[in-house]
Amino acid sequence: MKITARKFPDHFLWGGAVAANQLEGAWQEDGKGLCIADINEYKGHLPPEKRSNAEMTAAYAEELLNDRNKMFPKRYGIDFYHTYPDDIRLLAGLGLNSIRTSINWARIYPNGDDEEPNEGGLAFYDRLFDEMAKYNIEPMITISHYEMPLNVALSYNGWYNRKTIDMFVKYCETIFRRYKDKVKYWITVNQINLYEHESFNHLGIPADRVENLTDAKYQGLHNELVACARAMKTGREINPEFKFGCMLYHNNAHPATGSSENMMAAIQQNHLSYYFTDMSARGAIPSYMYRFYEENNIHVDITAQDEEDLKNTVDFISFSYYYTTNVTEDGTMIKNEFIKKANAWGWGLDPVGLRVALNQYWDRYQLPVMVTENGMGFYDKVEEDGSVHDPYRVEFYEEHLKQVKEAIYDGVDVAGYYAWGPIDIVSCSSCEMEKRYGFIYVDLDNDMKGTAKRSLKDSYAWMKETIACNGENL
């Protein structure tokens, strides 16, 4: 009888995940154009529910471009563009054998519709990947991570416009050819299912430039999925060894009660996330989406060529995991009341939910699964001697990694795990620095003031030990 493994695979990808727009800075250097993240403003004076930069009008975006009073932390990040050799050294010291980051689209094609790519941007990523190679670190590269050139949003209405498909595929072909011998693993789009409130930040669709924003979102998502499928076909022609994955924000809801009606509501809610992985892994638009479109009076233009392109499917499934939610019988998403511990931002700690997620994706697709983001933001205190004692972070990773190990014992083919983010960076949603995730402390506050000095938190030593023994201490 075959016995499933009770340990992490020998070639497991122990990774850390970041995004170009949250750490690089250098927002106007070496030919880079403006990207959407460059106008993500810090709204720390507002309550958390009002800090999002996700939806925006073109009029307000253009106003922000000329506003000298607002703060845009992602323009500066942690200056990784200049400090990457030292930062990669510290990350390598943690024991990471893979780093997930993104290529900022606006560094390669500053306006999106440029005839030729920007050599300054291409050269930076050459240097970055070469630095990773010194430490035998495998890059996991996200192609689109909220870094669409701002011009594509303001001049073309982002993904709503089919012209963006061609611009994206051209961008992909450029980086595939340039880095064909340096990058093996590619994620086409970060958390592609975060669309409900991400019509601008993700899709680049200005709310005041379309007649029906809901229609525009779903058309944009369809166009984006078609572009990803075409890009994968192009990539495999350039290097057949490339491995492509799709990535979800794990948003699967648990039924709030035990009723069959509630279970059906959960299935329908979760279809709105599975839609992306079903298309990406199975190569066709799932039938339940046609009912969804009809019942919600949504029109999506789908061509025969689109359906042919979508047959180009992914090699692995990846997702981010932060917390779980419940759904009621009427389809309302609510807080998971079974979760008793939460961070200062109200994110509930549910480690077993990660094991559930891994099993769900494996059962559905039978493809290798990677956790490409998992972490929790905390306030950290720097002691007088410069140390940061963060047992809460050690507890978080210990409990979640135990559940990854349990999923492997369940028979799930878990190929990698990426902590978000291994070094402190600007928060995605709120543009804060003090919402800290890292094992490495960066001395910058919410006003982006400080020395930017890097120092190691207590959790760094624990994670280093865990990776060194391949999780045998869990």
Side-chain angles (χ1 to χ4, degrees):
M1 183 179 76
K2 182 179 179 180
I3 299 175
T4 56
R6 301 198 69 167
K7 63 178 184 178
F8 290 90
D10 291 338
H11 301 291
F12 192 73
L13 292 173
W14 290 97
V18 290
N21 72 87
Q22 292 171 253
L23 85 164
E24 284 181 3
W27 67 296
Q28 291 180 309
E29 290 192 38
D30 296 331
K32 179 187 170 296
L34 286 168
C35 72
I36 284 175
D38 292 327
I39 57 168
N40 282 178
E41 60 179 303
Y42 172 62
K43 302 177 180 178
H45 60 289
L46 297 176
E49 66 272 12
K50 295 185 178 181
R51 293 179 187 171
S52 174
N53 291 279
E55 289 194 357
M56 193 177 298
T57 63
Y60 189 58
E62 290 167 351
E63 180 183 324
L64 289 174
L65 288 174
N66 299 310
D67 196 320
R68 299 183 181 277
N69 296 316
K70 290 184 170 63
M71 186 167 62
F72 304 95
K74 291 175 184 175
R75 296 181 180 184
Y76 311 102
I78 60 169
D79 198 32
F80 181 80
Y81 193 83
H82 299 107
T83 64
Y84 71 89
D86 287 337
D87 291 338
I88 295 297
R89 176 180 56 82
L90 291 173
L91 294 169
L94 191 58
L96 302 182
N97 59 17
S98 185
I99 292 175
R100 174 183 167 231
T101 188
S102 58
I103 291 176
N104 191 317
W105 185 352
R107 286 202 192 278
I108 310 306
Y109 285 97
N111 301 295
D113 57 3
D114 312 81
E115 285 295 321
E116 299 295 330
N118 171 41
E119 177 57 29
L122 290 167
F124 167 70
Y125 292 108
D126 269 322
R127 296 194 299 272
L128 177 59
F129 300 150
D130 289 346
E131 196 67 28
M132 290 186 192
K134 289 181 184 178
Y135 300 96
N136 296 313
I137 291 174
E138 186 86 55
M140 168 77 73
I141 299 304
T142 310
I143 299 170
S144 180
H145 196 138
Y146 307 147
E147 292 139 1
M148 174 187 285
L150 189 58
N151 180 61
V152 176
L154 299 184
S155 298
Y156 295 91
N157 292 344
W159 280 112
Y160 182 56
N161 192 329
R162 279 187 173 267
K163 291 181 180 178
T164 302
I165 296 175
D166 294 331
M167 287 187 275
F168 182 77
V169 174
K170 180 179 178 179
Y171 157 55
C172 288
E173 181 175 0
T174 298
I175 60 176
F176 292 159
R177 292 193 184 281
R178 181 72 172 228
Y179 310 121
K180 64 183 177 64
D181 299 319
K182 297 183 179 184
V183 177
K184 176 181 177 181
Y185 294 100
W186 303 89
I187 292 171
T188 48
V189 177
N190 175 68
Q191 299 181 141
I192 191 169
N193 59 320
L194 277 182
Y195 61 90
E196 185 175 356
H197 303 294
E198 295 282 2
S199 56
F200 191 82
N201 213 38
H202 166 191
L203 293 169
I205 302 174
D208 56 343
R209 292 279 182 83
V210 293
E211 291 185 8
N212 184 317
L213 185 57
T214 299
D215 267 14
K217 286 181 183 181
Y218 283 98
Q219 184 66 59
L221 290 166
H222 172 78
N223 293 346
E224 189 173 35
L225 285 160
V226 169
C228 290
R230 289 187 190 175
M232 289 190 292
K233 181 176 186 294
T234 298
R236 290 179 175 123
E237 290 169 354
I238 292 169
N239 185 348
E241 299 301 311
F242 280 166
K243 298 296 181 185
F244 289 101
C246 53
M247 182 185 169
L248 292 182
Y249 166 77
H250 183 71
N251 197 33
N252 282 13
H254 298 183
T257 70
S259 73
S260 295
E261 289 81 2
N262 201 170
M263 179 61 75
M264 195 64 234
I267 288 172
Q268 290 176 321
Q269 174 62 39
N270 295 341
H271 276 164
L272 298 181
S273 287
Y274 281 138
Y275 155 58
F276 301 92
T277 39
D278 282 353
M279 285 180 72
S280 299
R282 294 174 172 172
I285 300 168
S287 55
Y288 55 77
M289 284 306 294
Y290 289 108
R291 175 173 180 170
F292 176 81
Y293 293 149
E294 181 180 345
E295 291 184 341
N296 291 277
N297 196 29
I298 294 169
H299 175 75
V300 178
D301 177 35
I302 302 167
T303 70
Q305 184 59 52
D306 292 346
E307 293 178 320
E308 185 64 28
D309 289 331
L310 288 169
K311 293 177 182 178
N312 297 288
T313 56
V314 296
D315 302 295
F316 63 91
I317 304 294
S318 74
F319 65 97
S320 63
Y321 178 82
Y322 291 101
Y323 54 85
T324 55
T325 55
N326 287 349
V327 63
T328 61
E329 288 187 6
D330 65 0
T332 303
M333 299 287 283
I334 62 173
K335 183 179 179 181
N336 187 340
E337 298 297 336
F338 293 98
I339 306 305
K340 303 304 180 185
K341 295 181 69 175
N343 71 356
W345 290 264
W347 294 21
L349 278 72
D350 185 7
V352 177
L354 178 54
R355 179 183 176 186
V356 171
L358 286 163
N359 274 274
Q360 286 175 330
Y361 293 121
W362 172 249
D363 288 349
R364 194 173 184 96
Y365 302 111
Q366 298 289 294
L367 287 172
V369 185
M370 297 196 200
V371 184
T372 43
E373 282 185 30
N374 181 224
M376 182 68 76
F378 296 103
Y379 288 116
D380 289 331
K381 178 184 177 183
V382 181
E383 305 294 341
E384 289 185 7
D385 64 357
S387 60
V388 177
H389 306 307
D390 55 344
Y392 41 84
R393 188 168 286 109
V394 171
E395 178 188 13
F396 175 91
Y397 281 108
E398 183 173 28
E399 294 306 312
H400 282 78
L401 283 167
K402 282 180 179 177
Q403 295 304 319
V404 175
K405 198 172 185 177
E406 288 294 324
I408 292 169
Y409 188 31
D410 292 335
V412 180
D413 182 2
V414 186
Y417 174 92
Y418 292 74
W420 180 272
I423 184 171
D424 291 346
I425 55 177
V426 177
S427 170
C428 175
S429 58
S430 61
C431 292
E432 297 170 271
M433 269 302 299
E434 293 178 7
K435 184 182 182 182
R436 299 182 183 276
Y437 291 81
F439 308 110
I440 302 167
Y441 187 87
V442 178
D443 181 31
L444 290 170
D445 63 17
N446 285 343
D447 294 317
M448 303 308 288
K449 295 179 180 177
T451 66
K453 179 183 176 182
R454 277 59 162 160
S455 57
L456 308 183
K457 306 175 189 180
D458 288 357
S459 57
Y460 184 98
W462 180 87
M463 195 65 177
K464 180 177 182 178
E465 176 188 354
T466 300
I467 295 173
C469 71
N470 202 37
E472 288 296 321
N473 60 335
L474 298 168

